[in-house]
Amino acid sequence: MMHEEYQEKGVTYIRINKTKARVKYNEGKTIYLIQDMMRLPNVWKKPCPIHKDGLSSIGREFDDHVKDFQYYNCDSQRGHGIKYFIKQEEL
């Protein structure tokens, strides 16, 4: 995994691996998903935030969100894998 860090509107987003993303999700932190061939700051695709306490997330596990995101958003043009980001202050 490459070290990636992006700033947008004064907020720093840091790339983390899937294991750490799962742990932070279970702690109630917001995780941002984007396809692996996309950069975080771009005009075509915004990162998809997932968090445990949202209305659509009640009773949903981390892997359920990841599978849904991969099914609906990943393809040969944007990438089949997923990159996980978290805000720096939530680390």
Side-chain angles (χ1 to χ4, degrees):
M1 180 183 81
M2 292 178 48
H3 175 74
E4 290 184 57
E5 192 173 296
Y6 295 107
Q7 284 193 337
E8 185 176 4
K9 298 179 182 177
V11 178
T12 303
Y13 297 91
I14 298 175
R15 184 175 176 183
I16 57 177
N17 62 26
K18 186 175 184 177
T19 305
K20 191 167 190 175
R22 183 180 289 114
V23 169
K24 293 295 183 180
Y25 174 84
N26 289 330
E27 290 176 1
K29 308 293 184 189
T30 302
I31 306 297
Y32 298 88
L33 309 176
I34 196 160
Q35 298 89 344
D36 64 356
M37 292 176 66
M38 302 286 283
R39 294 184 65 206
L40 192 58
N42 67 66
V43 295
W44 296 282
K45 178 72 176 161
K46 295 290 183 193
C48 176
I50 61 169
H51 48 90
K52 194 172 191 168
D53 300 329
L55 290 175
S56 63
S57 299
I58 296 174
R60 297 203 62 199
E61 295 295 323
F62 175 79
D63 291 324
D64 296 334
H65 283 293
V66 172
K67 287 176 187 175
D68 288 347
F69 179 84
Q70 192 167 22
Y71 181 80
Y72 289 107
N73 297 293
C74 295
D75 56 30
S76 60
Q77 292 181 335
R78 297 175 286 184
H80 292 288
I82 301 172
K83 294 193 289 190
Y84 307 91
F85 287 89
I86 191 167
K87 289 182 182 178
Q88 184 176 21
E89 62 265 8
E90 292 186 356
L91 273 175

